[in-house]
Amino acid sequence: MTTAEANKNLVQPAGGIPAPGDKSNSTIISSSPYHGLWALTNRELKKWYKNPVILLLSLIQPVLWLGLFGKAMNFGAIFTDGAFSIPGLNIPKEIINQLGTMLMLNVFGTTDYFSFLAVGMLSFIVLFTAMFSGMSIVWDRRLGTLNKVMSTPVARGSIVMSKILSSVIRSLVQASIILVLAVLLGMNISNITAIGVLGTFASLALLSFGFSAIFLMLALRSTNQNTQMAVVNLLNLPLLFGSNALFPASFMPEWLQAFVKINPISYATDIGRQMLLGAGGMGTLAFDFAYLTAFAAAFSIVGIMLSWRLLSK
Amino acid sequence: MFNLTNVVMEMNGEMDANGGRRTIMQIRDLKKVFNGTVVAVDGVTFDVYEGEIFGFLGPNGAGKTTTISMLTTLLRPTSGTATVCGFDILKEPNEVRKRIGVVPQEYTADEDLTGYENIMFCADLYGIPRRISRERADELLRLVELEAAKDRKVETYSGGMRRRLELACGLINHPRVLFLDEPTLGLDVQTRAAVWQYIRKLKEEYGMTLFLTTHYLEEADALCDRIAIIDHGKIVKIGSPKELKDSLGGDVIELGVQESDDDLTPLISSVQHVKEVKRVSPSEYRIKSELGEVTAPMVIDALRSKGYRVNKISLTRPTLDQVYLELTGKSIREENGDRTQAMRQRMIMRRARR
Ligand SMILES: Nc1ncnc2c1ncn2[C@@H]1O[C@H](COP(=O)(O)OP(=O)(O)OP(=O)(O)O)[C@@H](O)[C@H]1O
Ligand SMILES: [Mg+2]
């Protein structure tokens, strides 16, 4: 529709009501299938950044984990700098330190556990943000906002996509904050490069895409936020502990290792450790990225397809 | 796609059959069954004409909201069809959505955003370019007198303000049909009157068709061009308020005479306009007639000329209430209290949940 037509329309809104069925609609409506996607995403983000309390609260947990686990269980310090000595044996300090370092490198792929965990926390915050992305659609349904949105010509897929996108954006912002905090708290930055940071965030974005889509799908038909909460609580810790985010998989029992191998969190964390810390990984970067991309694509597509079916009743 | 019925009528020169108007919505045997057992809407068939205010009236659970949900493409009908603005709600739902506005029963505005942000959000959902939507938003906010409050968060709005905001949102795409589900529920008398004034003003401004449900009969009576009374998912009566009232058999004259053994029924029946006479007690008669205000004096004269004295008379105009009562077996007044209360409760619960 041209600007002139649009203007005419504006001045004369009721002007010449077209006959029923007349396809030349009097209202000005964009034909792009993506219109509204940004509006919907922006609405979610606005609610988030206008309420810094929520942002702060969501950061507390990973920061606590970093502080408590990362600093208290500093395995590196346990094995080095004389914290570890065997009475009666007079082993030179340098040798103990070297042994400790080797041990750390073997187990964690890096020399300090804090850095190891910090990267894990980036995946942690992504997972937790994604888990709650489903909650907002339950709310929207309860409050009738979803119905209102669905009575407009917005594509059904945009509704789900906007929730995924806003969750991805939130996750990345939160992960950046966690990364900065971790560096301030003493994360090893000797191997950090711009490409490493970009690659890490790309992997986190993929992780967030996939998980947000999964949790949104679980919420598509739900009208009860308690059910949704229960699902979230049921899944969060197994997903986290069944990955290499907190501890290396090599010491886990066989069956758990198998789960770690399919858990996408492991791949995002693996990418982070390789690209940020220069640590040795469980797979090649290319395979890690391929796995995450497939994960994100598969679930986003299924999510959008389900939204066509499940959003309408 | 065009409307065959209308074309035929035009050719026959019978346009006046529906007031010379085009049909904008055709609903044919529309049915919705929930969970295989709950029949919410049980095969309704009716037309809505362009430019009219069409009212849907019925007790709780009659299926009003369900009907609106189907017409606004939110719910899939179990069977039956409907076209809105010439588009099939099942085959071309997006074309329907572009042309309608919806003001739902609940307040759906986002409480965390300001009034202005809410209305712009709606505009974006329709893909209206910013340049145009800004002007429209300003214009609509002025119309519903929310200009001063537009930058406040909606959580600080009163019920009336929220309703007006919903109205503005529903109009942002200049819809050809505006659906209003109980637009004045839970509002006080003054706010209700104000909301109606806006609705009428907006309708004049944009020349829309309005489809609304309401529980306030006076409103339906005063505002609607036509009313459908729906009960248990079925339309029990449809017509203009006057037609509905006339269907009750006109005005009711209640007459008291000096007690006598004579049955005055034949005498009263002979008076012009009188349609039905019933002897309620030896001294009381109930007369149904057209033009009650003219008939009543004539009845008195007729009786006096035969030597009977009338000592009591009352004239009752039929109200939509009576129609409603007769058709649904429920008085709407009993319900209103409950409903308003239920609505309040819902609002309170909603706040508490936040
Ligand atoms: N999602 C649903 N699942 C099952 N039953 C439903 C659903 N929605 C509505 N119903 C039932 O359908 C019937 C009609 O409901 P509807 O909401 O259309 O009534 P209504 O006329 O709008 O009533 P009210 O005046 O209370 O708003 C009711 O019996 C209701 O319980
Ligand atoms: Mg209803």
Side-chain angles (χ1 to χ4, degrees):
Chain A
M1 182 170 283
T2 66
T3 316
E5 274 173 311
N7 271 336
K8 202 177 74 195
N9 243 312
L10 190 71
V11 181
Q12 214 180 1
I17 296 162
D22 186 350
K23 308 247 175 185
S24 68
N25 182 24
S26 68
T27 41
I28 306 145
I29 281 166
S30 120
S31 53
S32 153
Y34 303 110
H35 77 257
L37 177 60
W38 175 241
L40 285 160
T41 312
N42 196 27
R43 163 174 169 256
E44 303 279 327
L45 291 177
K46 241 185 211 164
K47 287 161 84 94
W48 172 68
Y49 66 71
K50 279 193 166 183
N51 195 346
V53 177
I54 296 179
L55 175 64
L56 284 177
L57 283 178
S58 65
L59 290 175
I60 285 179
Q61 214 177 2
V63 169
L64 270 181
W65 283 52
L66 262 184
L68 290 179
F69 274 86
K71 287 295 181 191
M73 292 210 218
N74 202 339
F75 296 107
I78 294 174
F79 292 125
T80 53
D81 282 343
F84 179 82
S85 71
I86 302 165
L89 277 179
N90 197 5
I91 303 170
K93 209 174 162 189
E94 293 76 46
I95 294 184
I96 293 189
N97 279 358
Q98 203 139 18
L99 274 175
T101 307
M102 269 174 62
L103 200 67
M104 286 300 291
L105 275 171
N106 268 340
V107 175
F108 295 106
T110 173
T111 47
D112 74 313
Y113 180 65
F114 182 79
S115 302
F116 177 91
L117 186 69
V119 176
M121 282 302 115
L122 300 180
S123 305
F124 172 104
I125 191 110
V126 166
L127 173 67
F128 273 60
T129 310
M131 288 189 141
F132 288 97
S133 66
M135 294 296 275
S136 76
I137 211 162
V138 178
W139 272 113
D140 282 0
R141 186 187 287 287
R142 283 229 138 179
L143 297 178
T145 318
L146 188 60
N147 269 349
K148 172 139 109 214
V149 172
M150 298 223 298
S151 72
T152 70
V154 150
R156 312 289 98 156
S158 293
I159 299 173
V160 166
M161 205 26 112
S162 72
K163 302 260 177 207
I164 297 179
L165 273 182
S166 68
S167 166
V168 171
I169 294 171
R170 280 205 310 261
S171 300
L172 294 187
V173 172
Q174 287 169 332
S176 319
I177 298 174
I178 296 289
L179 186 60
V180 169
L181 285 176
V183 170
L184 292 179
L185 287 171
M187 181 179 159
N188 179 0
I189 49 168
S190 54
N191 288 311
I192 277 190
T193 60
I195 297 209
V197 173
L198 277 179
T200 305
F201 277 87
S203 76
L204 292 175
L206 291 171
L207 186 69
S208 177
F209 242 93
F211 272 123
S212 305
I214 290 177
F215 285 100
L216 268 163
M217 273 186 262
L218 292 175
L220 273 182
R221 280 316 272 268
S222 173
T223 50
N224 188 334
Q225 62 268 49
N226 292 329
T227 326
Q228 195 59 23
M229 274 303 272
V231 170
V232 167
N233 280 331
L234 182 74
L235 294 178
N236 59 10
L237 290 184
L239 275 173
L240 196 62
F241 280 93
S243 78
N244 60 4
L246 306 177
F247 302 107
S250 43
F251 289 105
M252 294 177 184
E254 203 92 335
W255 59 269
L256 194 53
Q257 283 197 27
F259 182 73
V260 171
K261 281 261 152 55
I262 56 166
N263 189 344
I265 297 175
S266 309
Y267 292 89
T269 316
D270 196 48
I271 290 174
R273 294 215 174 106
Q274 293 191 41
M275 297 193 82
L276 290 178
L277 305 176
M282 63 180 205
T284 63
L285 278 180
F287 180 77
D288 288 354
F289 270 112
Y291 189 91
L292 281 175
T293 307
F295 168 69
F299 283 102
S300 309
I301 290 167
V302 174
I304 287 171
M305 284 189 341
L306 272 183
S307 69
W308 290 333
R309 291 181 51 84
L310 295 188
L311 277 181
S312 50
K313 285 167 261 179
Chain B
M1 201 190 303
F2 55 85
N3 188 331
L4 201 63
T5 342
N6 274 342
V7 173
V8 172
M9 277 161 62
E10 262 171 86
M11 291 194 305
N12 293 347
E14 284 178 352
M15 279 293 280
D16 278 348
N18 59 22
R21 286 155 160 184
R22 292 169 185 276
T23 308
I24 197 159
M25 289 203 279
Q26 284 189 330
I27 293 90
R28 294 290 173 269
D29 207 23
L30 205 61
K31 190 167 183 172
K32 181 71 193 182
V33 182
F34 286 110
N35 311 324
T37 48
V38 185
V39 184
V41 177
D42 195 2
V44 295
T45 297
F46 59 97
D47 284 348
V48 177
Y49 305 131
E50 179 126 43
E52 76 175 340
I53 303 186
F54 188 91
F56 231 43
L57 207 60
N60 281 161
K64 303 182 293 293
T65 302
T66 309
T67 307
I68 286 199
S69 299
M70 289 190 284
L71 294 179
T72 55
T73 74
L74 296 177
L75 265 183
R76 275 187 90 79
T78 309
S79 64
T81 57
T83 59
V84 177
C85 305
F87 294 97
D88 192 299
I89 55 166
L90 283 172
K91 292 190 195 115
E92 293 177 284
N94 244 14
E95 296 302 320
V96 172
R97 289 178 194 131
K98 285 180 192 171
R99 288 164 178 79
I100 60 170
V102 184
V103 180
Q105 195 165 346
E106 301 103 1
Y107 297 137
T108 59
D110 197 318
E111 305 224 347
D112 300 326
L113 304 182
T114 67
Y116 187 74
E117 284 168 341
N118 262 294
I119 201 167
M120 290 308 274
F121 172 61
C122 290
D124 290 344
L125 293 179
Y126 286 98
I128 303 169
R130 267 292 143 114
R131 187 176 47 79
I132 293 160
S133 59
R134 263 190 224 115
E135 277 178 59
R136 281 194 188 176
D138 287 342
E139 173 192 312
L140 284 167
L141 285 167
R142 196 164 49 240
L143 263 173
V144 298
E145 293 174 41
L146 280 178
E147 271 174 315
K150 70 175 186 170
D151 292 321
R152 266 165 51 193
K153 275 194 181 183
V154 172
E155 62 187 6
T156 69
Y157 280 24
S158 72
M161 292 165 82
R162 279 165 204 253
R163 199 44 93 183
R164 269 143 54 197
L165 180 64
E166 297 285 342
L167 263 180
C169 283
L171 287 163
I172 192 74
N173 63 329
H174 289 175
R176 291 186 42 216
V177 185
L178 181 66
F179 291 88
L180 299 143
D181 200 355
E182 315 222 14
T184 54
L185 184 63
L187 301 181
D188 65 31
V189 181
Q190 274 163 318
T191 319
R192 256 202 283 159
V195 165
W196 275 116
Q197 217 181 323
Y198 294 124
I199 292 177
R200 255 183 293 198
K201 198 157 72 177
L202 297 166
K203 178 184 176 303
E204 265 157 43
E205 202 110 334
Y206 301 120
M208 305 171 292
T209 307
L210 293 185
F211 185 100
L212 60 96
T213 71
T214 178
H215 261 266
Y216 297 106
L217 284 161
E218 318 86 75
E219 285 178 354
D221 199 356
L223 284 152
C224 295
D225 298 311
R226 285 190 316 135
I227 295 170
I229 295 181
I230 178 169
D231 195 19
H232 298 300
K234 285 199 160 90
I235 290 184
V236 285
K237 198 99 194 177
I238 192 162
S240 70
K242 187 176 175 311
E243 280 165 359
L244 293 186
K245 285 182 280 190
D246 287 351
S247 72
L248 279 183
D251 303 342
V252 174
I253 302 166
E254 278 170 322
L255 206 63
V257 292
Q258 253 172 351
E259 203 157 328
S260 79
D261 290 337
D262 307 346
D263 187 354
L264 304 178
T265 308
L267 176 58
I268 298 172
S269 299
S270 67
V271 176
Q272 206 191 344
H273 301 310
V274 170
K275 285 164 73 179
E276 197 186 311
V277 184
K278 207 165 156 193
R279 196 175 186 189
V280 188
S281 75
S283 62
E284 282 174 323
Y285 294 86
R286 214 177 130 88
I287 305 162
K288 277 191 181 176
S289 89
E290 283 162 19
L291 302 171
E293 69 278 21
V294 183
T295 317
M298 295 200 303
V299 172
I300 297 174
D301 284 346
L303 290 173
R304 203 177 271 153
S305 68
K306 295 276 188 268
Y308 299 103
R309 211 166 71 86
V310 176
N311 55 22
K312 216 168 71 188
I313 190 161
S314 76
L315 172 65
T316 327
R317 281 272 150 85
T319 62
L320 220 40
D321 274 312
Q322 285 165 315
V323 181
Y324 188 87
L325 180 65
E326 189 153 311
L327 292 172
T328 68
K330 280 182 201 152
S331 166
I332 201 143
R333 301 210 176 274
E334 289 162 19
E335 264 176 32
N336 273 339
D338 294 352
R339 290 186 57 76
T340 311
Q341 218 154 1
M343 184 74 182
R344 289 256 158 79
Q345 206 118 23
R346 235 189 280 171
M347 287 307 297
I348 290 165
M349 273 161 51
R350 192 167 291 172
R351 294 224 175 92
R353 264 194 264 122
R354 308 203 135 244

